[in-house]
Amino acid sequence: MTIYEELKARGLIAQVTDEEEIRDLINNGKATFYIGFDCTADSLTAGHFMALTLMKRLQMAGNKPIALIGGGTTMIGDPSGRTDMRKMLTKEDIAHNAECFKRQMERFIEFGDGKALMLNNADWLLNLNYVELLREVGACFSVNNMLRAECYKQRMEKGLSFLEFNYMIMQSYDFYHMFQHYGCNMQFGGDDQWSNMLGGTELIRRKLGKDAYAMTITLLTDSQGKKMGKTAGNAVWLDPNKTSPFEFYQYWRNVGDADVLKCIRMLTFLPLEQIDEMDHWEGEQLNRAKEILAFELTSMVHGKEEAEKAQNTARELFTGSADNEHMPTTALDPSLVKDGGIGLLSAMVAAKLCGSNREARQLVQQGGVLVNGEKVSDPKAVLTVEALQSGVVIKKGKKTYHKVTL
């Protein structure tokens, strides 16, 4: 099976500009392709997983990846999929975030001479002269076409700033610049980037009279159509200090029955023949599939040893024999102590098990909270200082465990 056929079989391909040319380029290892990563945080997330694994698959097939760090475009902010304007970051914040991205990408992609490149678009975007850019590039873009682009539609309802309106031009210029200076002939990105990517291929065609190609990858969504990669409203991070290996493992272990095989197919490197055999799994077998998914992805991000620890802890918790050594833990602020203890609701909020006291109270009253294995229904329950010094395990719902200490 060729790499292009494999990508199709795994359900990764959403849209392509020229299927025949793209198939030929990537099957024969002739693609120098890029994926952009704006530095809006100091860690990549589970939402970036698809792009990272795609880069790895294509590199293994002999193609050359360019990981483009958006040091310049992050200063503008991508309006795609947004109903509000992104937070403005300083140059220092962006530089720090870019450095964090590099360290995480190196777990997936092989960089070095003749291998993958890591570039930062700040190197060319921040030096552009505005009038020169308008003359060189501005004439190639139709405002009418830009306003019809999907990436601007949601923002138009609340008001699209001129700053954000320029994002498509900046992303297109990236492709144009790398086509000329790095031989980059293809761009990959999420399906919500299609309009921006077409802007780049059109700019190259109009300015240089040459063809470049674009392919979008399917966004990872659950069976309800919601983007995956968030839990309790928070991102699932690749940084172990922001999302522990156990929490990362548990996120994938707890995906819905309807989503697990899709995730295995799209995100893991297990052979398709092995995955096809799982298509008929049901009941308890689906729990085994979830363990396979969680272990494979945790191994990729955090290493096999951490994946084994997370898996063992999860299994022990399920059987009630856990020593909770590797469970996510929050050291509570001593200032929360009142009358010899800390209120359960306050502890749950501090541990980010709930977003507010009201949410925590409701959960307790509904019988959804266990403390050290015992159901607690009184929202006024207090965790004593003595108990907290040994560590108290709070179980939220059926699958979320968290230890709090002092």
Side-chain angles (χ1 to χ4, degrees):
M1 182 181 288
T2 66
I3 181 63
Y4 189 82
E5 288 173 331
E6 182 180 347
L7 296 181
K8 288 192 79 169
R10 289 184 181 274
L12 292 169
I13 299 176
Q15 300 181 83
V16 294
T17 51
D18 187 324
E19 186 172 42
E20 191 174 333
E21 285 292 334
I22 289 174
R23 181 191 288 115
D24 177 66
L25 283 170
I26 67 173
N27 282 347
N28 293 294
K30 295 187 293 186
T32 297
F33 68 95
Y34 95 90
I35 298 180
F37 299 84
D38 276 353
C39 318
T40 52
D42 58 2
S43 171
L44 295 166
T45 70
H48 292 109
F49 225 43
M50 194 88 78
L52 294 170
T53 55
L54 177 71
M55 294 177 91
K56 184 172 183 176
R57 292 183 207 280
L58 290 169
Q59 185 174 42
M60 290 167 65
N63 298 286
K64 185 175 181 179
I66 297 175
L68 182 65
I69 301 295
T73 40
T74 306
M75 297 190 75
I76 295 174
D78 183 3
S80 300
R82 302 282 296 193
T83 56
D84 57 347
M85 190 166 162
R86 292 182 187 270
K87 178 187 172 186
M88 300 289 282
L89 300 176
T90 66
K91 286 184 181 180
E92 291 74 23
D93 288 338
I94 293 168
H96 170 72
N97 294 349
E99 194 56 41
C100 295
F101 279 20
K102 286 180 185 179
R103 291 195 295 270
Q104 292 174 350
M105 287 178 181
E106 286 168 350
R107 294 195 73 96
F108 293 83
I109 306 155
E110 198 174 351
F111 295 97
D113 292 341
K115 298 174 183 174
L117 287 174
M118 187 171 288
L119 303 175
N120 189 328
N121 61 19
D123 293 341
W124 55 83
L125 291 182
L126 299 189
N127 295 324
L128 289 173
N129 177 286
Y130 185 62
V131 174
E132 286 180 12
L133 180 71
L134 287 177
R135 287 176 63 85
E136 182 183 1
V137 175
C140 299
F141 285 84
S142 159
V143 171
N144 290 353
N145 288 341
M146 290 174 73
L147 290 175
R148 283 194 290 268
E150 195 64 38
C151 60
Y152 290 137
K153 282 185 179 176
Q154 282 183 295
R155 294 293 292 115
M156 288 291 287
E157 293 174 12
K158 288 194 174 182
L160 176 71
S161 72
F162 184 67
L163 175 75
E164 296 168 290
F165 188 62
N166 279 267
Y167 191 90
M168 182 189 289
I169 296 173
M170 295 292 94
Q171 184 170 331
S172 300
Y173 189 90
D174 283 343
F175 199 178
Y176 170 62
H177 177 89
M178 289 187 290
F179 184 93
Q180 294 179 92
H181 297 279
Y182 298 95
C184 180
N185 53 16
M186 197 175 300
Q187 180 182 179
F188 292 88
D191 203 26
D192 55 351
Q193 292 291 311
W194 184 240
S195 300
N196 292 340
M197 293 163 73
L198 290 181
T201 60
E202 180 65 9
L203 179 61
I204 290 166
R205 187 189 66 78
R206 295 189 64 169
K207 292 293 296 181
L208 305 173
K210 296 181 178 178
D211 291 324
Y213 308 96
M215 184 183 100
T216 60
I217 46 182
T218 312
L219 292 175
L220 188 62
T221 57
D222 62 20
S223 50
Q224 276 78 48
K226 296 177 182 176
K227 276 189 184 182
M228 295 183 72
K230 292 194 173 184
T231 177
N234 299 311
V236 177
W237 304 96
L238 305 194
D239 182 343
N241 296 314
K242 294 168 80 74
T243 299
S244 72
F246 176 78
E247 290 172 304
F248 187 85
Y249 177 94
Q250 282 293 87
Y251 174 79
W252 298 107
R253 173 63 182 82
N254 294 333
V255 299
D257 290 357
D259 301 316
V260 58
L261 289 176
K262 177 179 74 173
C263 289
I264 289 177
R265 196 175 294 276
M266 296 175 91
L267 298 175
T268 76
F269 285 80
L270 295 176
L272 283 166
E273 296 79 13
Q274 182 181 343
I275 300 170
D276 288 342
E277 290 174 8
M278 299 181 193
D279 274 339
H280 307 293
W281 285 11
E282 54 187 31
E284 191 56 38
Q285 287 177 308
L286 285 177
N287 284 327
R288 173 66 187 134
K290 292 175 188 181
E291 281 197 332
I292 291 170
L293 170 68
F295 185 85
E296 291 293 321
L297 300 193
T298 307
S299 294
M300 270 194 273
V301 175
H302 298 295
K304 189 175 179 181
E305 185 180 344
E306 289 295 338
E308 287 173 348
K309 286 180 187 176
Q311 186 170 74
N312 290 337
T313 301
R315 286 175 175 174
E316 289 166 356
L317 286 167
F318 184 74
T319 59
S321 62
D323 62 8
N324 63 55
E325 180 188 352
H326 305 295
M327 192 184 299
T329 301
T330 296
L332 300 176
D333 190 332
S335 67
L336 294 173
V337 176
K338 292 178 182 176
D339 300 324
I342 296 178
L344 174 59
L345 305 188
S346 297
M348 290 176 68
V349 173
K352 297 183 179 175
L353 288 168
C354 292
S356 66
N357 275 13
R358 181 181 177 185
E359 183 187 338
R361 182 181 296 108
Q362 199 169 26
L363 195 64
V364 169
Q365 289 171 335
Q366 291 170 349
V369 176
L370 273 69
V371 174
N372 285 342
E374 299 290 331
K375 184 176 287 189
V376 176
S377 55
D378 181 4
K380 294 180 181 178
V382 173
L383 310 179
T384 66
V385 168
E386 184 181 5
L388 287 166
Q389 286 171 342
S390 303
V392 174
V393 176
I394 300 173
K395 182 182 179 186
K396 171 189 166 186
K398 293 182 179 180
K399 300 171 181 175
T400 302
Y401 294 84
H402 201 100
K403 182 165 71 173
V404 290
T405 63
L406 258 183

